[in-house]
């Protein structure tokens, strides 16, 4: 059965307890908890607090984790940056296991310079994947790598490249970010589903438009067609709304954020569970 959730970063300024409570109020039953959620990240990663939140909200039954990415890059040309980024990805898998997550989403990294990736960049990527592989084979958490928006220095931003990586790594799964793919075209999203849908473990759901990513669904017919395609491909994993609250003209109170989520939840259900 499909789970409907949201990234914890939509409630960027709130405590973990408030985040769980607001997600519950919105009617969602899933959360993708970013380890960089400020209340968690800036307080030495108090895992016991998140575990307590999970126990206090059994209605939020689907729980996944997003590895730190905001100022990390496992494929950085700076060896110290690359080393700590790989180490955090491996540590994230250990934390996801301890928190009881089903899926850990990771980013592929990027070439530091805004130039096409070369052999050295691909070698750094291979090292990163090897470290994740070694850790993943010891744990029960599913590791899913996310497609990035089109950029000259991106290591995975096409369906063909994603398929190539998945074929090379049978243990690895796929997180589809619809907004990143929509930065290319609606057709690109459909290609990801067609080519890589058999390895799909997680979906980050949001719109793209007017040069902005991670917008609310807002009854978009493009999103409706994407959800129909996921349904037709028998996807039954989580749909995690990934909405950037900085896209709004002013800061939103929690009540308005919950209302946006409730509206998008109703739309997702209508598309995924037609009468």
């Amino acid at each position: 059965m499909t789970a409907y959730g949201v990234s914890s970063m939509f409630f960027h300024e709130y405590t973990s307890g408030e985040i769980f409570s607001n997600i519950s109020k919105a009617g969602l039953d899933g959360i993708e908890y970013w380890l960089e959620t400020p209340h968690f990240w800036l307080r030495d990663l108090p895992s016991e607090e998140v575990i307590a939140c999970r126990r206090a909200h059994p209605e939020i039954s689907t729980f996944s984790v997003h590895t730190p990415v905001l100022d990390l890059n496992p494929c950085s040309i700076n060896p110290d940056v690359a080393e700590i980024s790989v180490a955090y990805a491996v540590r994230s898998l250990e934390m996801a296991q301890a928190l009881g997550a089903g899926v850990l989403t990771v980013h592929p990294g990027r070439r530091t310079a805004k130039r096409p990736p070369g052999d050295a960049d691909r070698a750094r990527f291979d090292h990163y994947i090897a470290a994740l592989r070694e850790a993943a084979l010891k744990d029960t958490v599913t590791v899913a790598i996310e497609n990035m928006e089109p950029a000259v220095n991106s290591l995975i931003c096409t369906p063909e490249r994603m398929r190539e990586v998945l074929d090379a790594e049978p243990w690895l799964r796929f997180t589809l970010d619809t907004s990143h793919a929509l930065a290319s075209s609606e057709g690109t999203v459909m290609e990801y589903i067609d080519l890589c849908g058999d390895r799909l473990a997680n979906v980050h759901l949001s719109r793209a438009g007017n040069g902005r990513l991670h917008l609310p669904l807002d009854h978009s017919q493009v999103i409706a067609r994407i959800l129909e395609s996921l349904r037709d491909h028998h996807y039954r994993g989580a749909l995690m709304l990934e909405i950037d609250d900085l896209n709004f003209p002013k800061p939103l109170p929690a009540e308005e954020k919950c209302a946006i989520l409730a509206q998008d939840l109703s739309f997702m259900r209508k598309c995924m569970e037609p009468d």
Side-chain angles (χ1 to χ4, degrees), residues 217-233:
L217 306 186
D218 198 27
H219 295 93
S220 163
Q221 289 308 299
V222 170
I223 296 296
R225 289 191 290 271
I226 291 170
L227 290 173
E228 180 181 359
S229 179
L230 288 168
R231 191 185 73 226
D232 290 347
H233 280 77

Side-chain angles (χ1 to χ4, degrees), residues 158-214:
T158 67
E160 294 78 13
R161 174 58 178 153
M162 179 62 75
R163 186 72 243 183
E164 179 182 305
V165 171
L166 294 174
D167 284 344
E169 304 292 339
W171 59 276
L172 188 61
R173 302 288 293 279
F174 168 40
T175 289
L176 170 64
D177 188 298
T178 61
S179 186
H180 289 167
L182 284 169
S184 291
S185 68
E186 179 183 343
T188 300
V189 184
M190 301 306 186
E191 288 179 38
Y192 272 114
I193 296 171
D194 288 341
L195 273 180
C196 308
D198 61 313
R199 303 284 285 279
L200 190 57
N202 190 24
V203 174
H204 292 168
L205 196 64
S206 57
R207 287 187 300 117
N210 299 320
R212 294 185 297 167
L213 301 180
H214 304 302

Side-chain angles (χ1 to χ4, degrees), residues 52-231:
C53 289
R54 293 205 63 200
R55 289 174 179 157
H57 292 278
E59 71 279 8
I60 302 177
S61 55
T62 297
F63 183 83
S64 62
V65 167
H66 198 295
T67 195
V69 297
L70 295 181
D71 53 5
L72 298 175
N73 178 14
C75 300
S76 173
I77 196 171
N78 183 317
D80 293 333
V81 173
E83 181 181 4
I84 197 169
S85 300
V86 172
Y88 259 116
V90 172
R91 184 181 178 189
S92 297
L93 182 56
E94 296 168 356
M95 292 191 68
Q97 178 86 7
L99 293 172
V103 176
L104 173 72
T105 289
V106 301
H107 281 198
R110 61 196 179 280
R111 180 175 179 176
T112 303
K114 291 185 178 179
R115 297 172 182 269
D119 290 344
D121 306 292
R122 285 186 280 271
R124 283 186 280 271
F125 176 78
D126 290 344
H127 170 72
Y128 167 50
I129 292 296
L132 279 173
R133 183 194 311 120
E134 181 179 2
L137 294 177
K138 300 174 184 176
D139 286 326
T140 60
V141 178
T142 296
V143 179
I145 195 162
E146 181 178 344
N147 61 295
M148 295 291 100
E149 64 268 32
V152 67
N153 59 336
S154 177
L155 282 157
I156 304 181
C157 64
T158 67
E160 294 78 13
R161 174 58 178 153
M162 179 62 75
R163 186 72 243 183
E164 179 182 305
V165 171
L166 294 174
D167 284 344
E169 304 292 339
W171 59 276
L172 188 61
R173 302 288 293 279
F174 168 40
T175 289
L176 170 64
D177 188 298
T178 61
S179 186
H180 289 167
L182 284 169
S184 291
S185 68
E186 179 183 343
T188 300
V189 184
M190 301 306 186
E191 288 179 38
Y192 272 114
I193 296 171
D194 288 341
L195 273 180
C196 308
D198 61 313
R199 303 284 285 279
L200 190 57
N202 190 24
V203 174
H204 292 168
L205 196 64
S206 57
R207 287 187 300 117
N210 299 320
R212 294 185 297 167
L213 301 180
H214 304 302
L215 298 163
L217 306 186
D218 198 27
H219 295 93
S220 163
Q221 289 308 299
V222 170
I223 296 296
R225 289 191 290 271
I226 291 170
L227 290 173
E228 180 181 359
S229 179
L230 288 168
R231 191 185 73 226

